[in-house]
Amino acid sequence: MSGKTLYDKLWDDHLVKQNSDGSALLYIDRHLLHEVTSPQAFEGLRLAGRKPWRIDTNLATPDHNVQTTDRSGGVDSIVDPISRIQVKTLDENCDSFGITEFKMNDARQGIVHVVGPEQGATLPGMTVVCGDSHTATHGAFAALAHGIGTSEVEHVLATQCLIAKKMENMLVRVSGQLGVGVTAKDVVLHIIGVIGTAGGTGYAIEFGGDAIGSISMEGRMTICNMAIEAGARVGLVGVDDKTIAYVKDRPFAPKGPQWEQAVEAWKNLVSDDDAEFDHVVEINAEDILPQVTWGTSPEMVAPVTACVPDPAQMSDPVKREGTERALHYMGLKPNQKLTDIQLDRVFIGSCTNSRIEDLREAAAVVKGKKVASSLKQALVVPGSGLVKQQAEAEGLDKIFMDAGMEWREPGCSMCLAMNPDKLGAGEHCASTSNRNFEGRQGFGGRTHLVSPAMAAAAAVVGRFVDIRDILSA
Amino acid sequence: MKKFTQHQGIVAPLDRANVDTDMIIPKQFLKSIKRSGFGPNLFDELRYLDEGQPDQDCSQRPLNPDFVLNKPRYEGCSILLARKNFGCGSSREHAPWALEDFGIRAIIAPSYADIFFNNSFKNGLLPIILEEATVDALFQAVEANEGYQLTIDLEKQVVIQPDGTELVFDIDAFRKHCLLNGLDDIGLTLEQADAIRDYEAARRQTAPWLFS
């Protein structure tokens, strides 16, 4: 019999009951909540007269609606009354059920997928769920983590379990050494370009290979975060020394003898050498160049050195029509150079790229330079209040502001524009976020997904540039 | 949850791949703390020519005449015919809520994104998977025949075409059972409360740091 994959191990460790019809009951160790996908779940719980099964596994923070400008007035300072009600509803639900919440003015508040790992609330070997598809982020810690809908949020609150069906195993192995200027974001965008936006549907993807091993925990979070953009609800990386070093001494992490016991158990959280995957994708690290998306799906991506594709050259009619529609929406012409796209705004932030390393990477590029005068705005939005504090301690805020960028309060911000930060119709944005869907960053807005370094370089020049040219200059 | 047993209805063809949940229901409508009322904003950016706002009276807004759901021949449709990877992107359950509130009871497509697929079943909305070639043929039949209707029989797991031919589809046994009977998942899981407590007791021994 062959060995187990990391996903097999995590699944087996959390199996409460396997039913004969193929469905299973899976135990949930950590439930993260935010204001958008939880109100209906709490209401459902109340209407049915049910109580949360285990309060201590829940951790909440508002992130989608919060403004990134002054918020000293707390929740009452949210101008949009509908947004305000939604954040207040989270506050009230957490207060009444006794759930730990980092409220708007708490330094620990931030994007839920930044907050979980930062607090050590995400631990190796856990099952982690949240009513948000980017819950895949937490898989960087060898945690079985995925997004759920609101009905399932209610289900987890009420039962501490999910009704689940086992996925298939996919290994994406990235071998070799990443080039200078090529970051975790470029790795995952390249992978999505190779396997497609539905390539991972039905799979838990494990990212392996020496190139993944060489990437920091924060970079691994960026990669797992976007597993969902390849269709996979789950992205995973096995435990190594970096994982354990990152978790150590975080507020929610185990301490003392329990820490030693946990570390022993976590060392087993890798796929066995003889484990068999249902599907293996081999990627050569040297083939990965800095990436830019040109279309309206994350798979519509190309190296910065490339041109916009020509739909006339495509034989598949569904793909051709999709490309034509995307180019029309994006206001781009076939065969146009990606470096010729004029930008209107730059957004550095989101659960994909708003951690301290992302901000350092961006700051290193803009240090001593100025944002192009053709830009309307360059926003830097840290992922949490603690990331913000750290960045300020390192003087990164000053570097950004000296360059003419705006330094903001933490939240999801312009990634999905539920708060006041949004694109105007027709505006092109170099964005470190995760989705370039139509209207995602604002009605009619045109998103190009890039790494923090590429976004910072684009801010300085006003259009895309190959970050490798800047780094070698 | 609403039961799903048999359903007959007008089919509307949405001819594009990778329809994401941002497209199905844009973010500004996710600010609602209710489960209902999303129907008027289903496909908001495709359906209307202006930018929609929450709590707006949509009956006064300019419609995009080219969008399929605005065409008179598809008025009253309750089955959506779609392309591959339908419902990709965000986990928002507002997407199936909006479809259901609009009056869609079933979707037919070659594939779906996992989270959307799962969310649909929790809301009495049946996502049917048929092969790409079969879906292609259905697109042609819908285009060619105004008022084209299909009948879905969940018990028999068939889509019945107007000429009586049946297209068989697969469905997970548990999900089928829940849909046919309109069962509440939480109630079912709580029947396993003892098994959950047994699991917790055992896990507490092997991984005590998860319980302290």
Side-chain angles (χ1 to χ4, degrees):
Chain A
M1 207 181 110
S2 60
K4 287 180 175 184
T5 65
L6 170 57
Y7 172 65
D8 293 338
K9 292 180 184 181
L10 293 168
W11 174 270
D12 290 350
D13 279 350
H14 292 89
L15 196 59
V16 172
K17 197 168 181 234
Q18 177 69 56
N19 298 315
S20 54
D21 60 12
S23 71
L25 208 54
L26 205 65
Y27 192 80
I28 301 304
D29 296 315
R30 177 66 68 202
H31 186 205
L32 301 168
L33 297 124
H34 62 84
E35 78 277 19
V36 181
T37 54
S38 66
Q40 298 86 350
F42 282 113
E43 187 194 41
L45 213 58
R46 277 201 191 88
L47 288 174
R50 291 174 176 139
K51 289 197 163 55
W53 181 278
R54 233 187 105 187
I55 297 288
D56 64 314
T57 63
N58 296 282
L59 177 63
T61 192
D63 55 8
H64 286 63
N65 282 272
V66 298
Q67 78 272 31
T68 55
T69 48
D70 178 47
R71 58 171 73 155
S72 47
V75 63
D76 290 319
S77 65
I78 299 177
V79 175
D80 177 352
I82 310 177
S83 285
R84 189 167 63 235
I85 287 171
Q86 195 164 53
V87 175
K88 276 193 169 172
T89 303
L90 179 69
D91 290 354
E92 287 161 11
N93 282 326
C94 289
D95 289 347
S96 73
F97 286 104
I99 290 170
T100 303
E101 183 198 6
F102 300 149
K103 293 192 168 72
M104 263 180 83
N105 280 343
D106 191 312
R108 298 168 295 178
Q109 178 270 342
I111 306 173
V112 72
H113 307 307
V114 175
V115 168
E118 183 174 75
Q119 290 294 322
T122 301
L123 294 173
M126 274 184 162
T127 39
V128 180
V129 296
C130 174
D132 191 289
S133 61
H134 291 113
T135 309
T137 310
H138 309 264
F141 292 84
L144 176 52
H146 62 79
I148 55 177
T150 298
S151 293
E152 290 179 315
V153 170
E154 184 180 340
H155 194 279
V156 172
L157 281 168
T159 70
Q160 209 55 46
C161 291
L162 271 184
I163 297 170
K165 201 173 169 186
K166 199 171 174 198
M167 298 172 226
E168 293 200 85
N169 282 288
M170 183 189 292
L171 174 66
V172 175
R173 183 163 34 218
V174 188
S175 307
Q177 200 175 352
L178 295 170
V180 174
V182 176
T183 68
K185 182 64 163 286
D186 303 302
V187 172
V188 71
L189 285 171
H190 177 90
I191 292 169
I192 295 164
V194 171
I195 71 174
T197 187
T201 302
Y203 289 100
I205 298 182
E206 179 173 343
F207 299 97
D210 51 344
I212 301 295
S214 74
I215 293 173
S216 71
M217 286 311 295
E218 298 197 353
R220 294 177 192 179
M221 283 189 249
T222 299
I223 293 174
C224 290
N225 171 277
M226 290 190 71
I228 186 68
E229 311 318 330
R233 282 199 294 165
V234 168
L236 288 167
V237 177
V239 165
D240 63 9
D241 293 345
K242 287 180 183 173
T243 322
I244 290 167
Y246 189 96
V247 170
K248 193 173 192 323
D249 295 331
R250 299 212 172 244
F252 285 62
K255 308 277 184 312
Q258 279 199 352
W259 168 258
E260 304 299 332
Q261 192 185 356
V263 169
E264 267 319 297
W266 294 342
K267 284 179 180 164
N268 184 41
L269 295 174
V270 291
S271 288
D272 294 334
D273 289 338
D274 58 343
E276 280 180 23
F277 288 85
D278 301 291
H279 190 54
V280 178
V281 177
E282 299 283 358
I283 305 269
N284 184 355
E286 281 88 14
D287 293 344
I288 307 174
L289 302 180
Q291 304 283 305
V292 178
T293 66
W294 48 265
T296 53
S297 163
E299 70 180 11
M300 295 175 169
V301 65
V304 64
T305 50
C307 295
V308 173
D310 186 352
Q313 306 296 320
M314 296 173 178
S315 52
D316 174 359
V318 173
K319 194 172 178 193
R320 185 171 60 237
E321 281 167 37
T323 305
E324 281 168 357
R325 192 182 286 121
L327 294 190
H328 176 74
Y329 180 85
M330 294 297 288
L332 297 175
K333 293 190 172 55
N335 304 314
Q336 181 182 355
K337 278 185 173 176
L338 291 178
T339 48
D340 286 345
I341 298 170
Q342 290 294 323
L343 297 167
D344 300 286
R345 291 179 205 264
V346 170
F347 170 62
I348 296 173
S350 88
C351 58
T352 312
N353 283 127
S354 64
R355 299 176 182 86
I356 191 67
E357 289 176 14
D358 300 314
L359 302 185
R360 286 179 191 144
E361 186 183 309
V365 174
V366 300
K367 189 173 185 179
K369 301 197 175 85
K370 293 281 178 205
V371 165
S373 58
S374 55
L375 280 193
K376 292 176 186 162
Q377 183 180 46
L379 264 187
V380 186
V381 184
S384 73
L386 296 179
V387 170
K388 182 168 185 266
Q389 281 180 7
Q390 177 66 28
E392 289 175 353
E394 296 178 20
L396 305 185
D397 58 325
K398 196 152 182 328
I399 292 173
F400 291 126
M401 287 189 286
D402 286 349
M405 299 172 116
E406 295 175 37
W407 176 245
R408 295 292 188 88
E409 298 293 329
C412 300
S413 182
M414 204 191 271
C415 173
L416 87 167
M418 273 187 82
N419 80 340
D421 309 332
K422 54 186 79 165
L423 296 183
E427 289 180 347
H428 287 270
C429 179
S431 178
T432 66
S433 55
N434 39 57
R435 290 193 173 128
N436 50 353
F437 298 157
E438 288 183 21
R440 170 83 178 179
Q441 293 193 286
F443 183 74
R446 294 161 169 171
T447 303
H448 301 275
L449 304 175
V450 288
S451 72
M454 283 284 287
V460 171
V461 180
R463 52 185 176 75
F464 292 112
V465 284
D466 189 337
I467 185 66
R468 295 171 301 170
D469 295 342
I470 292 190
L471 295 176
S472 63
Chain B
M1 187 178 75
K2 209 189 267 184
K3 278 187 195 179
F4 192 112
T5 49
Q6 279 200 343
H7 177 77
Q8 182 179 3
I10 294 175
V11 183
L14 183 60
D15 195 2
R16 60 196 284 170
N18 300 322
V19 169
D20 58 71
T21 54
D22 277 81
M23 208 179 279
I24 298 172
I25 182 86
K27 82 290 242 134
Q28 62 268 39
F29 306 108
L30 312 189
K31 297 177 186 182
S32 167
I33 57 170
K34 293 183 292 199
R35 244 176 214 269
S36 56
F38 297 101
N41 300 110
L42 175 71
F43 295 115
D44 199 273
E45 291 185 6
L46 301 175
R47 198 162 144 201
Y48 303 98
L49 295 170
D50 62 343
E51 181 180 0
Q53 297 302 334
D55 295 339
Q56 186 181 16
D57 175 8
C58 291
S59 64
Q60 304 302 314
R61 295 175 59 195
L63 293 172
N64 173 5
D66 297 331
F67 183 58
V68 57
L69 296 183
N70 291 333
K71 294 185 179 170
R73 63 182 285 188
Y74 301 118
E75 203 178 326
C77 66
S78 57
I79 299 172
L80 191 67
L81 186 63
R83 295 292 187 183
K84 66 177 182 184
N85 200 28
F86 187 86
C88 61
S90 146
S91 67
R92 59 190 70 167
E93 198 161 318
H94 311 69
W97 293 342
L99 286 160
E100 198 268 343
D101 197 58
F102 178 85
I104 302 293
R105 294 298 323 274
I107 309 169
I108 298 172
S111 63
Y112 300 86
D114 287 339
I115 304 179
F116 174 83
F117 188 70
N118 199 28
N119 283 342
S120 295
F121 286 104
K122 314 282 182 192
N123 293 282
L125 177 67
L126 175 61
I128 294 172
I129 300 173
L130 292 177
E131 290 204 5
E132 202 145 6
T134 311
V135 171
D136 262 340
L138 286 175
F139 266 96
Q140 284 167 21
V142 173
E143 298 287 348
N145 301 286
E146 190 155 345
Y148 187 86
Q149 298 202 9
L150 288 170
T151 303
I152 295 159
D153 186 331
L154 178 56
E155 179 62 50
K156 287 176 66 186
Q157 294 182 212
V158 289
V159 175
I160 306 161
Q161 299 183 90
D163 65 1
T165 53
E166 298 185 345
L167 305 167
V168 179
F169 63 89
D170 269 343
I171 182 171
D172 179 273
F174 175 74
R175 285 170 164 153
K176 177 179 176 180
H177 175 71
C178 289
L179 269 184
L180 282 173
N181 298 291
L183 295 178
D184 164 22
D185 278 358
I186 297 178
L188 287 175
T189 299
L190 286 174
E191 290 173 12
Q192 310 288 332
D194 288 342
I196 302 171
R197 285 193 198 95
D198 290 348
Y199 171 87
E200 286 179 325
R203 185 80 170 149
R204 195 184 283 273
Q205 298 304 312
T206 55
W209 61 89
L210 295 174
F211 293 85
S212 55

